[in-house]
Amino acid sequence: MQFEEMGNMSGKTLMLLPGTCCDYQTNFGTVITELSEKYHLICVNYDGFDGSDLIFPDIITVTEKIEKYIKDNHGGRLDGAIGSSLGSTFVGQLIMREKVHIDHGIFGSPDLDQSGKVSAYLQSKLVVPLLTSFTKGEKKRNKTKEKLKSFFDMSEETAEKFMQCFSKFNPESIKNEYYTDLLTHLKDDIHVEHTIPHFIYANKMGEKYLKRYKKYFRNPDIREFDMQHEQWLFGDEKYAEPVLKAIDEFMEAKV
């Protein structure tokens, strides 16, 4: 595991938790400068995605390591934590387990998919080979890059960074991350005193995800944005600026 602290060290603490098949450098690379100006950032790379030879074990084992770091280095408390996509699973677990305290849990347009073992196994057998084959061969690589640029309004540079991210990690780590995320369930109607769950709702994902947010958390603070899944992180200021403003408002909200 890798934990790097940076930014405004006198500002509020904000942990950054990246999504599937990503490190924080790629996932938050387009907004980390802006976030660093206001917040004491704690940037996380999971086992298997931290440049080491370790393999990602499972969501709960990694959650326990994150909890230990927060206890050992921040007295068991953070002002905020933001999870990008799969990273939101960790935010949800940190809130639900109550081993540490987070004032503001920020969920970056997650799908919060949950399933049983058979379904998770079948899904991982289908999806993981796709994630690990995007960059095999120049033709497939270029085709995937063009799809990323078109669907998410990505620049050439940002699309290239994500392509590199897909290709540099051990397929076993990717499989374990994807598979165990599906098996790591949240309870319904989670409510922790003095914690506010905030959701960045990308409405182009569809309303079924909005229903999930309301199912798993009691009275969540949901902000709707006209964008695709995590589109604010892909380099276009017209998506990033409104979300960054919302994050500031989240972090200032009274708990």
Side-chain angles (χ1 to χ4, degrees):
M1 290 281 286
Q2 181 182 33
F3 298 88
E4 292 194 19
E5 305 205 15
M6 64 184 72
N8 181 354
M9 304 308 279
S10 62
K12 292 184 176 181
T13 50
L14 179 62
M15 179 172 276
L16 305 184
L17 296 155
T20 305
C21 199
C22 265
D23 51 26
Y24 81 79
Q25 292 92 335
T26 302
N27 207 153
F28 296 99
T30 62
V31 297
I32 205 162
T33 298
E34 288 85 348
L35 291 172
S36 293
E37 291 174 357
K38 295 183 178 179
Y39 302 110
H40 173 170
L41 299 180
I42 307 162
C43 304
V44 181
N45 282 332
Y46 319 125
D47 289 338
F49 301 91
D50 59 353
S52 72
D53 293 329
L54 295 175
I55 299 297
F56 184 94
D58 58 80
I59 294 291
I60 294 301
T61 298
V62 172
T63 299
E64 290 171 346
K65 291 186 176 185
I66 295 170
E67 289 169 341
K68 184 178 187 304
Y69 185 88
I70 295 171
K71 289 176 183 177
D72 291 348
N73 295 274
H74 294 277
R77 179 191 171 278
L78 297 178
D79 295 305
I82 180 168
S84 172
S85 191
L86 172 139
S88 292
T89 294
F90 292 109
V91 176
Q93 289 297 316
L94 292 171
I95 293 172
M96 183 182 74
R97 287 160 56 89
E98 296 190 66
K99 306 293 185 182
V100 296
H101 184 82
I102 300 173
D103 288 349
H104 301 281
I106 304 172
F107 296 75
S109 56
D111 54 41
L112 297 183
D113 280 337
Q114 300 180 172
S115 68
K117 287 186 178 181
V118 174
S119 177
Y121 173 77
L122 293 174
Q123 288 184 62
S124 63
K125 290 286 284 185
L126 287 171
V127 174
V128 172
L130 289 174
L131 289 174
T132 57
S133 68
F134 282 149
T135 58
K136 292 179 180 178
E138 192 65 25
K139 185 176 181 180
K140 184 174 285 188
R141 179 185 179 84
N142 289 336
K143 186 176 181 180
T144 302
K145 186 191 293 186
E146 290 305 312
K147 285 183 177 179
L148 288 172
K149 289 165 61 180
S150 174
F151 191 74
F152 292 111
D153 288 343
M154 280 189 184
S155 68
E156 179 80 17
E157 180 183 6
T158 301
E160 182 61 32
K161 286 180 180 178
F162 275 87
M163 293 294 293
Q164 291 174 5
C165 214
F166 292 152
S167 64
K168 70 182 179 180
F169 298 121
N170 189 313
E172 188 70 12
S173 285
I174 297 170
K175 177 182 75 67
N176 289 352
E177 185 181 48
Y178 185 87
Y179 174 70
T180 65
D181 180 47
L182 290 172
L183 296 180
T184 307
H185 292 195
L186 291 169
K187 298 185 298 185
D188 290 355
D189 195 38
I190 296 169
H191 173 72
V192 175
E193 191 172 4
H194 304 304
T195 293
I196 304 176
H198 307 273
F199 282 85
I200 296 165
Y201 169 47
N203 60 18
K204 291 184 179 179
M205 291 175 63
E207 289 190 6
K208 71 175 183 179
Y209 298 104
L210 180 62
K211 292 177 181 177
R212 288 182 190 176
Y213 305 160
K214 296 176 180 179
K215 175 177 185 286
Y216 295 129
F217 291 89
R218 186 185 305 175
N219 299 321
D221 175 17
I222 299 173
R223 303 292 181 94
E224 182 174 345
F225 298 90
D226 185 24
M227 64 182 184
Q228 301 285 0
H229 174 69
E230 291 294 64
Q231 196 164 12
W232 72 284
L233 292 171
F234 300 144
D236 193 322
E237 289 187 4
K238 72 180 178 183
Y239 300 111
E241 287 184 1
V243 177
L244 287 168
K245 180 181 178 182
I247 290 171
D248 290 341
E249 292 172 355
F250 294 159
M251 294 292 286
E252 292 300 323
K254 185 177 180 180
V255 295

